[in-house]
Amino acid sequence: MSFSTDFLWGGATSAHQCEGAWNVGGRGPGKRDYMIVDKETHQRMLTYVDRSGKRCLMPLGSGTQLPEGARYEVFDDRYYPDHDGVDFYHHYKEDIALLKEMGFRVFRMSISWSRLFPRGDEAEPNRQGIAFYRAVFEELRKNGIEPLVTLWHDDTPLYLEETYGGWQNRKLIELYDRYAETCLWEFKGLVKYWLPFNEINNVLLFLDMFGKNPTDEMYRAAYQELHYKFVASAHTVAKAHEIDPNNRVGCMICGVPFYPATCDPKDIMLNHCMWEKGLLYSSDVLCKGEYPSFTERLWREHKVELDIREADVVAMKAGTVDLYTFSYYMSSAVTTHNATDIVGGNCTTGVRNQYLEYSEWGWANDPLGLRYFLERMYAQYKLPMMIVENGLGAVDRIENGEIHDEYRIDYLRGHIREMKLAVENGVDLIGYTAWGCIDLVSAGGEMKKRYGFVYVDKDDEGHGTFDRCRKDSFYWYKKVIASNGEDLD
Ligand code: BG6
């Protein structure tokens, strides 16, 4: 057994990390347009002025709200990495040609909500924004590449955050519905695969990150935000099916398999609870259309009371997804014992796993974890699966115009091997999109943390030509796709 002949090989990006053109073509701002990287702490910070006009910085994180009377502001003397991204907005034809050269069958990208609805609550969309995405989708189709579109990749229009309090407000469901329905109508026939929310479960994962010490109020806010997003996602699924029965809609889960660090039953139980809260809670609602049996216990733990209406429950049941899609970079180990060796990871922190090696950014390299996650989630939901993010963030060096990224090839090879074993073990895996297939701005704002098969000439200060150049992994992945995953050497 092997990958199906129509297996969707490709790569993934998001609008705010690659598109650039932040104030071009009628686009409105999002919170990320006010984010710099603090030189000393390497933390992402939001820039704003307080009510007295003083310039201030605030770390990005779940639940951060501006002080009373303050407003976000771009400071002239600071560099905002997302403003130009890797300028996909002006390079998309060249980029798509490179994807085609690699043999891509699918390209995951996101639509910037504020490019279509600059404030977020307009009655009609910005036609320039529609024209841009239409041109990109047409270019993809012309090149035989299937678009896979994320509707929300961490970028709510700023106006909605400031005016309505963002996803804490039920009003966001209605406004998101309008945006999603616009996309479904406008791009009907061009786009078939849709993901309503990127890594929807990460608001809960973030709370458990080391050093956060979340309050009950932070838990309430996270569960409420999730509930509104669950309802919006379910509406999108139903609408997508109504508008075009060919549409396929997926959940998108941040896929971090947790491991108990020891076989102490307390660690086993902690691990079990991490799966429940971090992974199954969101997956169950999106795939089965109802909150799982352990939900009341989770809410009770933090005295959470939510705004949930009867119509939400009905909508959630009617709008279950067609596909299970997820990101996978690493696994995480948890323990109830005192642990000092804390390691980072995608939306998580955990204890160091002595059996694994770690990347320059401290993320575990665990190909087997991918197979474990695929097989566990397939057994649970029996939905076609797609890995929509996977890759190694690393520093690349140019030598005589070439980039020998053997480390990236090794990482990807290991993961694709495990995917194949999962397929042999019965998992219905339909696609794989490697993250940041063209270098882009990392979530932490760094350019030097690169994932791509294609190198982009831009550095952490924003210097560079945006020229594209093929890495060794480009030729390797081309071979992988041409052999449908058989030739991994
Ligand atoms: C995922 C996000 O969490 O991880 C991406 O969906 C992000 O937006 C990716 O870029 C990798 O994380 P980072 O921090 O290396 O960019």
Side-chain angles (χ1 to χ4, degrees):
M1 274 192 75
S2 197
F3 298 110
S4 62
T5 47
D6 55 357
F7 191 83
L8 293 166
W9 293 101
T13 59
S14 82
H16 73 86
Q17 291 170 278
C18 76
E19 212 170 78
W22 77 291
N23 56 3
V24 173
R27 183 183 178 278
K31 217 182 205 173
R32 288 183 176 266
D33 294 315
Y34 298 86
M35 267 182 228
I36 58 162
V37 182
D38 186 69
K39 287 212 173 97
E40 273 150 40
T41 60
H42 300 288
Q43 248 199 313
R44 279 212 103 168
M45 306 290 256
L46 293 157
T47 57
Y48 69 96
V49 289
D50 69 11
R51 60 160 74 226
S52 70
K54 189 169 142 246
R55 288 164 48 132
C56 307
L57 299 178
M58 180 170 69
L60 171 73
S62 273
T64 35
Q65 294 288 347
L66 281 190
E68 198 62 38
R71 63 185 156 73
Y72 290 107
E73 187 147 300
V74 168
F75 301 158
D76 291 346
D77 54 347
R78 303 305 288 255
Y79 175 60
Y80 294 79
D82 293 0
H83 281 187
D84 46 18
V86 291
D87 201 27
F88 176 77
Y89 191 84
H90 297 107
H91 287 75
Y92 74 89
K93 287 197 178 169
E94 180 189 348
D95 287 345
I96 292 171
L98 286 161
L99 306 182
K100 181 182 162 86
E101 192 183 326
M102 272 187 281
F104 270 39
R105 298 174 189 168
V106 63
F107 177 55
R108 176 178 173 226
M109 55 180 278
S110 74
I111 293 178
S112 157
W113 186 350
S114 63
R115 194 175 287 291
L116 295 202
F117 291 89
R119 280 199 326 255
D121 64 353
E122 295 90 340
E124 294 299 326
N126 164 29
R127 298 312 310 178
Q128 289 185 79
I130 301 277
F132 168 68
Y133 290 112
R134 182 181 292 278
V136 174
F137 299 144
E138 282 171 353
E139 188 70 16
L140 284 167
R141 290 239 162 259
K142 211 167 78 191
N143 285 282
I145 301 172
E146 183 80 47
L148 162 62
V149 174
T150 317
L151 288 169
W152 184 93
H153 196 121
D154 311 333
D155 54 353
T156 305
L158 185 71
Y159 180 82
L160 299 187
E161 307 240 19
E162 291 182 326
T163 314
Y164 298 92
W167 281 99
Q168 289 306 305
N169 192 327
R170 176 173 280 276
K171 178 81 178 165
L172 267 272
I173 301 178
E174 179 194 323
L175 299 174
Y176 175 93
D177 286 354
R178 185 184 304 164
Y179 157 63
E181 197 177 333
T182 301
C183 294
L184 291 167
W185 278 118
E186 293 287 347
F187 308 126
K188 182 177 172 180
L190 284 171
V191 179
K192 165 180 167 188
Y193 291 104
W194 302 92
L195 305 177
F197 290 95
N198 181 61
E199 291 187 337
I200 196 164
N201 55 325
N202 69 15
V203 282
L204 285 176
L205 294 177
F206 282 140
L207 289 181
D208 285 326
M209 286 183 84
F210 184 72
K212 269 257 157 73
N213 300 323
T215 59
D216 286 348
E217 171 49 27
M218 286 162 81
Y219 272 102
R220 190 210 57 76
Y223 284 119
Q224 188 64 73
E225 171 173 344
L226 263 179
H227 177 73
Y228 291 152
K229 286 181 177 171
F230 289 153
V231 176
S233 169
H235 289 164
T236 303
V237 177
K239 244 323 149 210
H241 292 161
E242 183 191 314
I243 290 174
D244 185 347
N246 289 320
N247 278 330
R248 292 288 171 270
V249 188
C251 61
M252 193 322 198
I253 296 290
C254 179
V256 180
F258 295 102
Y259 299 159
T262 73
C263 53
D264 179 345
K266 291 201 189 83
D267 279 6
I268 306 294
M269 192 41 88
L270 172 66
N271 185 59
H272 175 69
C273 292
M274 295 297 286
W275 275 81
E276 285 187 337
K277 180 170 66 179
L279 302 164
L280 303 174
Y281 178 84
S282 302
S283 303
D284 264 34
V285 174
L286 298 166
C287 299
K288 295 181 175 170
E290 58 190 29
Y291 280 108
S293 53
F294 50 82
T295 300
E296 292 289 337
R297 191 259 308 160
L298 283 179
W299 292 346
R300 241 187 349 260
E301 272 174 6
H302 298 287
K303 306 180 196 67
V304 166
E305 283 188 28
L306 298 183
D307 164 31
I308 298 181
R309 299 187 186 163
E310 192 46 44
D312 301 347
V313 177
V314 175
M316 277 156 51
K317 198 69 195 169
T320 56
V321 295
D322 309 305
L323 309 168
Y324 190 98
T325 90
F326 65 100
S327 60
Y328 179 84
Y329 295 90
M330 27 113 350
S331 57
S332 183
V334 296
T335 186
T336 55
H337 296 262
N338 277 339
T340 46
D341 203 354
I342 304 292
V343 286
N346 190 28
C347 312
T348 47
T349 41
V351 295
R352 182 172 296 278
N353 183 335
Q354 59 172 312
Y355 302 101
L356 299 177
E357 288 182 357
Y358 286 79
S359 77
E360 287 163 277
W361 271 264
W363 293 21
N365 179 350
D366 183 13
L368 259 176
L370 174 58
R371 179 175 165 202
Y372 176 56
F373 194 83
L374 275 167
E375 295 189 3
R376 222 180 131 169
M377 289 311 195
Y378 187 65
Q380 187 100 7
Y381 301 111
K382 288 277 165 50
L383 287 172
M385 300 188 80
M386 207 188 295
I387 299 150
V388 294
E389 283 186 32
N390 173 238
L392 177 74
V395 176
D396 292 326
R397 286 182 186 81
I398 307 191
E399 296 163 37
N400 305 320
E402 297 180 343
I403 294 141
H404 305 299
D405 55 343
E406 203 49 47
Y407 36 91
R408 181 166 297 110
I409 295 174
D410 283 348
Y411 176 98
L412 297 169
R413 180 189 289 126
H415 286 75
I416 295 174
R417 266 194 195 129
E418 295 303 326
M419 278 158 49
K420 202 165 168 214
L421 292 174
V423 170
E424 284 171 10
N425 204 25
V427 172
D428 181 14
L429 182 63
I430 64 164
Y432 173 78
T433 59
W435 176 247
C437 46
I438 293 174
D439 286 346
L440 40 69
V441 177
S442 75
E446 291 169 300
M447 199 55 222
K448 70 167 187 269
K449 189 181 188 190
R450 296 172 183 270
Y451 286 87
F453 303 116
V454 174
Y455 184 91
V456 176
D457 180 31
K458 173 180 156 172
D459 68 15
D460 281 344
E461 272 77 48
H463 305 124
T465 58
F466 291 117
D467 282 353
R468 273 63 171 153
C469 143
R470 296 163 186 79
K471 305 182 192 176
D472 284 0
S473 57
F474 180 99
Y475 302 103
W476 174 82
Y477 196 47
K478 182 175 175 178
K479 211 171 52 154
V480 171
I481 298 177
S483 65
N484 203 30
E486 293 302 320
D487 184 356
L488 300 178
D489 294 338

